[in-house]
Amino acid sequence: MTTLQEPEPVAPISEELVERAWKDAPGIPGFFTTVDHKRIGIRYIVTAFFFFFSAGVLALFMRAQLAQPNSHVLSAETYNEFFTMHGTSMIFLFNTPVLAGFGNYLLPLQLGSRDMAFPRLNAFSYWIFLLSGIFIYSSFFTGHLPNGGWFAYTPLTSTNFSPGINLDFWGLGVVFVGISTTVGAVNFIVTTFKMRAPGMTLNRLPIFVWSMLVFSFMVIFAVPAVTVAAGLLELDRIFGTQFFNPAHGGSTLLYQHLFWFWGHPEVYILFIPATGMISMIIPAFSRRALAGYLWIVTALVTIGFISFGVWVHHMFATGLPPLALSFFSAVSLLITVPSGVQFFAWIATMWKGKVRLTTPMLFAIGFLLIFLLGGITGVMVAVLPFDWQVTDSYFVVAHFHYVLNGAVVFPIFGAIYYWFPKMTGRMLDEHLGKISFWTMFIGFNVTFFPMHILGFLGMPRRVYTYSGDVGWNSLNMIVSLASVVFAAGTLLTLWNVWRSYRGGALAGADPWGADSLEWATTSPPPDNNFDATPVVASRHPLWDQRPLPVARSGPDDATHALGLEGAASRTAALTGGMRAEPGATFPIPEETVLPLVLALGIAAFFVGLLVKVVLVGAVGVAIGVIGLLAWAWKTGEEPS
Amino acid sequence: MTSWSAETFPTVLVEPPEPVRRGYDKAWWGMVVVIGTEGMIFMVLLAANFFLRATAKQWPPSGTELPELFQTSIFTAVLLGSSLPIFWVDWAIEKGHMRSVRIGLALSWLMGTAFLVHTILDFQALHFGWRDSSYGSVYYVIIGLHALHVIVGLLFSLLVQLKIALGRIDRDRHLTLTVFSLYWHFVDVVWIFVFSSLILSVHWR
């Protein structure tokens, strides 16, 4: 349905009304009480990037230690602590939250909504993320860093072999940060189903929204496993239960099953939103619709399902029965099919389009090349006999850095270049961006490709040094030098962000000529996102619906919030059903300190467990209970 | 196509689409998803229980006195029965029978509290601790976690009852009550699985 009427000027909404309804309190109070998804999303991204750079520094220390044989840059103990914190930071504190941050910022904008379904819960999930990050990183100040690897296998991590509180930071921290991820996922799911602009059927959702939806469902069903794994580990450590103690009927293998039942879906939890970003960037710079939309959506959902059936391929060397090994090997090979479908859809989109090589597009193409290699090595390690040869060698390190660093971090950098104009209203410097890309791309490949060869030459993972007569010296030196190049490339982007934030070229609403709704509003968007809610009739509203139809406020309760009156009264429309018809109005909660209080209560509880002081934990529980009750008390009674 | 200077995208006002009265509020859906993830926690814990059981020579380990069955079965019936008044409450609130709602909530709260008291007494009467064997660990942790959910449900119920007493919940506005009833049914259903996996199945070998 295209409108043939002349665009009638939308009566400007009174600035003052919007101010009064949406402006956060100025200064410090506003900082701690805001529920605006845009502020929260940016905070998520900034906080996550702090952990990214800190994990990078740890990695550089590790490479300095491994550059030459028998060196003494780090002691064995410090090396263990650093590689544990590197993995923990990258998985728990950077990759997952940064994707949640982009989801937070973009989902309401791409759905044409004024905020998330649960804005206060959104603030809560950020505070939990921040506090859990501080909790894990406070181990640096106590000098007792977690040192059992980011996977914390038992029995190494039982109190017999790892006394002290080093590992408790990890175990409690993982349970702690899991709360944030889970709460965020609940929010994404309900937002996608109940906050779509009228007419936005599931068939018209931007692929990034689809990817965040799959991400969320996977989080809902996978994170409980790591919560239980880390939780039972801590119960063993703090309260002396016998879950993982074979002497009393426990099982060390149980820990690995629990951990990888989350761990494998987790890599796809990270990978799927990254591909969602790629599926937004490639069509925008190929000037055509994504080829095979339905194929891509099906592939995302299929990957989500299959990823729950492959966790044992992390345990091929643990002596399981052959039938189980064959099954999991076969399923691991199967997952390449939907991934391949996505890959060919991207290639077809570029093939049939007119490609513009902007920085985001360069990152997308770089991603394709790296992901291809990571995918191929993935197929190799899915094959049992091959895996037995390379398991626990640097080949595996190379493989998962190709897929987790190359195929997740590169799309995230592309996303920064792509959406930074929307978030700040200023363009990132293209020239500097391209230099940053090439530095990162070359640095990345020269860092991680030789690791495959090191693995073939027998260099094991998780060793802090090696002797000089086994033929690993020159390759390790190359890897270490290249890692500095890769780090420099990421710093160039950081500098670019810093510079452009203060004085980049003005972006305007739609600098890329893209197709999804976030580009219909100003850059940065106003506090209310959209003055009037767009009415969607196409998969690419900004390409097919010029001018964009926006709704008037209707007379009844359900459609009242669609138009300007909704923006003035801080309300949003709840939609539902296949066609996203308006069903009710929901008042967006006012700013509140409750989420922070509740998060602090939970933090106190975990600190109490860590230092084993009952009083601290009890205070935390009390604050938490009071906070929850106050929250449920304040929840407005909507007609149901 | 590229508009480097355009400040906003051109728009045109149209009539809003027809509203459709449908389905549940977002908070209800939120609770459904939370129940999904909570249910998964219990599933993973029960899977761990069966994994340990499958790898053990004898389950529970020899010398472990089995948990009490008869009383626990009675209180299982009490807990599952506490869902019935909630079904009644769900029906009554739609009709606006506030007195039935109050009686039903109070009844279900008392039944839930009776179950919780029984669980605490059962823990005290047990002849094994969580340190003695992996069976003891599983028993205390899973049943304790379920009891924690019962406590949360009872607090939640009190909050709903307070809201009703203050007249904040009525026939047309009762979201908190609807979400609570969903949660309470979930806590009851989980107990069926916990009870049969940890208590019933070790008696019926």
Side-chain angles (χ1 to χ4, degrees):
Chain A
M1 142 201 132
T2 47
T3 49
L4 296 172
Q5 50 199 123
E6 280 299 301
E8 75 173 90
V10 181
I13 180 166
S14 148
E15 292 262 334
E16 193 190 338
L17 270 176
V18 173
E19 275 292 289
R20 214 169 41 215
W22 297 88
K23 258 283 168 278
D24 285 323
I28 304 286
F31 179 84
F32 286 115
T33 58
T34 184
V35 296
D36 179 6
H37 74 98
K38 296 179 291 296
R39 286 184 80 176
I40 293 168
I42 288 175
R43 259 176 220 190
Y44 250 112
I45 294 169
V46 170
T47 312
F49 263 95
F50 165 81
F51 292 117
F52 172 77
F53 285 107
S54 106
V57 169
L58 294 173
L60 288 175
F61 271 111
M62 281 146 64
R63 284 319 317 176
Q65 161 68 15
L66 291 172
Q68 291 167 304
N70 304 320
S71 59
H72 297 287
V73 179
L74 305 173
S75 66
E77 180 56 23
T78 312
Y79 184 90
N80 287 350
E81 291 176 344
F82 276 19
F83 92 74
T84 301
M85 285 306 279
H86 169 77
T88 305
S89 306
M90 285 304 288
I91 299 285
F92 292 100
L93 301 175
F94 170 65
N95 271 332
T96 320
V98 82
L99 294 165
F102 274 102
N104 252 318
Y105 191 94
L106 292 170
L107 231 64
L109 288 167
Q110 294 193 336
L111 294 170
S113 163
R114 295 202 178 94
D115 209 312
M116 299 282 279
F118 306 111
R120 287 178 302 185
L121 214 56
N122 205 12
F124 171 72
S125 71
Y126 171 75
W127 292 122
I128 289 279
F129 162 49
L130 177 69
L131 291 169
S132 62
I134 292 172
F135 181 90
I136 295 174
Y137 264 63
S138 61
S139 58
F140 276 100
F141 301 104
T142 63
H144 296 282
L145 275 76
N147 52 2
W150 80 277
F151 37 83
Y153 279 176
T154 59
L156 171 65
T157 50
S158 65
T159 36
N160 301 348
F161 304 103
S162 295
I165 63 168
N166 302 48
L167 266 152
D168 296 331
F169 280 109
W170 184 91
L172 296 169
V174 164
V175 176
F176 194 177
V177 73
I179 299 171
S180 161
T181 318
T182 305
V183 164
V186 172
N187 219 337
F188 290 135
I189 290 174
V190 179
T191 302
T192 306
F193 285 129
K194 299 296 288 183
M195 309 285 288
R196 285 165 290 154
M200 188 176 278
T201 60
L202 289 185
N203 203 2
R204 292 176 185 153
L205 287 180
I207 292 282
F208 181 69
V209 177
W210 265 113
S211 71
M212 285 312 290
L213 192 63
V214 175
F215 162 99
S216 305
F217 274 108
M218 291 173 72
V219 163
I220 290 298
F221 292 112
V223 167
V226 78
T227 303
V228 168
L232 298 187
L233 177 67
E234 284 305 316
L235 284 167
D236 271 16
R237 289 177 57 86
I238 299 175
F239 297 100
T241 53
Q242 308 288 4
F243 288 103
F244 306 127
N245 180 1
H248 287 82
S251 163
T252 53
L253 206 54
L254 170 64
Y255 179 85
Q256 291 197 24
H257 276 297
L258 292 175
F259 185 83
W260 289 116
F261 189 82
W262 159 82
H264 199 82
E266 170 69 12
V267 303
Y268 288 98
I269 284 171
L270 305 177
F271 175 65
I272 282 176
T275 62
M277 290 166 170
I278 295 293
S279 294
M280 301 303 288
I281 292 172
I282 286 186
F285 299 114
S286 303
R287 302 203 200 177
R288 80 177 297 282
L290 188 64
Y293 175 94
L294 284 177
W295 286 96
I296 293 236
V297 171
T298 313
L300 291 175
V301 176
T302 313
I303 290 172
F305 268 103
I306 299 179
S307 71
F308 279 86
V310 297
W311 80 92
V312 172
H313 72 209
H314 296 267
M315 303 160 64
F316 277 168
T318 53
L320 294 168
L323 181 64
L325 296 184
S326 311
F327 171 83
F328 283 99
S329 174
V331 180
S332 307
L333 291 170
L334 191 67
I335 209 161
T336 57
V337 176
S339 307
V341 166
Q342 287 208 79
F343 205 91
F344 287 116
W346 293 321
I347 291 176
T349 308
M350 296 198 297
W351 196 283
K352 291 296 224 180
K354 283 171 64 179
V355 174
R356 275 185 294 163
L357 285 178
T358 56
T359 310
M361 193 64 176
L362 280 179
F363 274 103
I365 295 170
F367 152 87
L368 287 178
L369 296 170
I370 292 169
F371 172 53
L372 181 65
L373 242 158
I376 289 171
T377 52
V379 174
M380 290 159 84
V381 290
V383 178
L384 266 170
F386 183 86
D387 184 72
W388 282 340
Q389 293 305 315
V390 299
T391 187
D392 278 348
S393 80
Y394 259 79
F395 186 89
V396 177
V397 177
H399 160 68
F400 73 68
H401 280 89
Y402 259 82
V403 283
L404 277 182
N405 187 349
V408 177
V409 174
F410 271 66
I412 288 169
F413 271 72
I416 286 176
Y417 279 89
Y418 184 63
W419 278 296
F420 183 87
K422 178 49 63 183
M423 295 179 181
T424 61
R426 293 181 180 277
M427 305 297 293
L428 282 171
D429 187 293
E430 276 289 300
H431 186 65
L432 192 55
K434 283 173 180 160
I435 296 172
S436 167
F437 166 75
W438 284 111
T439 317
M440 277 173 74
F441 186 73
I442 292 164
F444 174 88
N445 282 295
V446 182
T447 302
F448 293 106
F449 192 83
M451 287 188 185
H452 295 112
I453 302 161
L454 278 169
F456 286 145
L457 295 176
M459 181 167 174
R461 295 168 72 176
R462 305 164 190 160
V463 290
Y464 82 103
T465 189
Y466 50 93
S467 70
D469 54 2
V470 279
W472 303 335
N473 303 4
S474 51
L475 279 173
N476 265 316
M477 183 49 93
I478 291 169
V479 168
S480 292
L481 291 175
S483 67
V484 178
V485 176
F486 179 70
T490 61
L491 286 178
L492 282 175
T493 291
L494 183 67
W495 185 47
N496 197 349
V497 165
W498 171 253
R499 238 181 45 165
S500 307
Y501 181 71
R502 315 168 93 215
L506 290 177
D510 183 21
W512 310 118
D515 60 338
S516 47
L517 285 179
E518 75 268 34
W519 305 104
T521 182
T522 52
S523 306
D527 288 343
N528 52 334
N529 287 1
F530 298 94
D531 288 352
T533 310
V535 179
V536 178
S538 147
R539 198 177 279 163
H540 316 283
L542 268 57
W543 287 350
D544 301 348
Q545 297 179 274
R546 246 185 134 86
L548 185 71
V550 296
R552 273 184 226 284
S553 278
D556 50 86
D557 187 42
T559 53
H560 175 80
L562 285 173
L564 300 179
E565 289 171 36
S569 60
R570 199 181 169 99
T571 50
L574 281 178
T575 58
M578 285 307 294
R579 301 182 40 75
E581 290 114 339
T585 290
F586 111 87
I588 289 170
E590 297 292 329
E591 50 195 337
T592 163
V593 76
L594 263 182
L596 178 58
V597 171
L598 187 56
L600 285 170
I602 292 173
F605 170 71
F606 280 105
V607 171
L609 280 174
L610 179 75
V611 298
K612 299 180 184 60
V613 176
V614 177
L615 181 67
V616 179
V619 167
V621 171
I623 295 174
V625 168
I626 292 166
L628 262 180
L629 289 176
W631 196 320
W633 183 252
K634 278 180 71 167
T635 298
E637 290 303 333
E638 300 305 313
S640 47
Chain B
M1 192 71 216
T2 313
S3 48
W4 289 87
S5 56
E7 200 27 57
T8 47
F9 201 80
T11 53
V12 52
L13 271 176
V14 295
E15 288 305 315
E18 280 302 303
V20 176
R21 263 266 162 262
R22 66 161 70 248
Y24 291 96
D25 186 88
K26 63 185 177 61
W28 190 88
W29 286 111
M31 183 50 90
V32 169
V33 182
V34 168
I35 284 173
T37 196
E38 289 269 84
M40 193 70 198
I41 288 187
F42 280 102
M43 270 171 70
V44 170
L45 281 167
L46 290 175
N49 161 63
F50 285 113
F51 184 92
L52 291 171
R53 184 175 178 158
T55 51
K57 283 192 204 61
Q58 198 189 344
W59 190 262
S62 56
T64 309
E65 197 174 317
L66 294 186
E68 195 281 331
L69 179 65
F70 179 66
Q71 260 191 37
T72 310
S73 304
I74 290 177
F75 280 97
T76 297
V78 169
L79 182 70
L80 297 185
S82 75
S83 261
L84 297 174
I86 299 293
F87 284 121
W88 180 41
V89 164
D90 282 340
W91 169 85
I93 191 78
E94 296 297 338
K95 295 269 184 290
H97 302 329
M98 292 312 286
R99 188 156 166 274
S100 306
V101 170
R102 278 198 283 269
I103 293 173
L105 280 170
L107 195 62
S108 128
W109 191 86
L110 287 172
M111 291 164 97
T113 308
F115 173 84
L116 186 67
V117 170
H118 164 262
T119 303
I120 293 165
L121 294 176
D122 178 58
F123 273 178
Q124 286 177 337
L126 280 178
H127 288 279
F128 55 84
W130 62 73
R131 283 188 182 79
D132 296 349
S133 70
S134 56
Y135 175 72
S137 309
V138 169
Y139 189 92
Y140 276 92
V141 167
I142 300 183
I143 292 181
L145 186 69
H146 179 265
L148 193 68
H149 280 73
V150 173
I151 293 171
V152 170
L154 293 174
L155 284 170
F156 200 174
S157 172
L158 282 178
L159 183 101
V160 171
Q161 292 181 59
L162 187 62
K163 273 192 170 184
I164 289 175
L166 294 174
R168 288 183 54 171
I169 289 181
D170 56 34
R171 180 176 170 175
D172 301 318
R173 310 172 79 72
H174 51 259
L175 181 63
T176 320
L177 174 59
T178 315
V179 173
F180 161 73
S181 77
L182 193 64
Y183 181 80
W184 189 254
H185 294 320
F186 161 72
V187 171
D188 291 357
V189 168
V190 164
W191 179 247
I192 299 174
F193 291 94
V194 173
F195 175 69
S196 34
S197 307
L198 293 178
I199 299 171
L200 212 53
S201 72
V202 299
H203 280 274
W204 283 357
R205 306 183 56 77

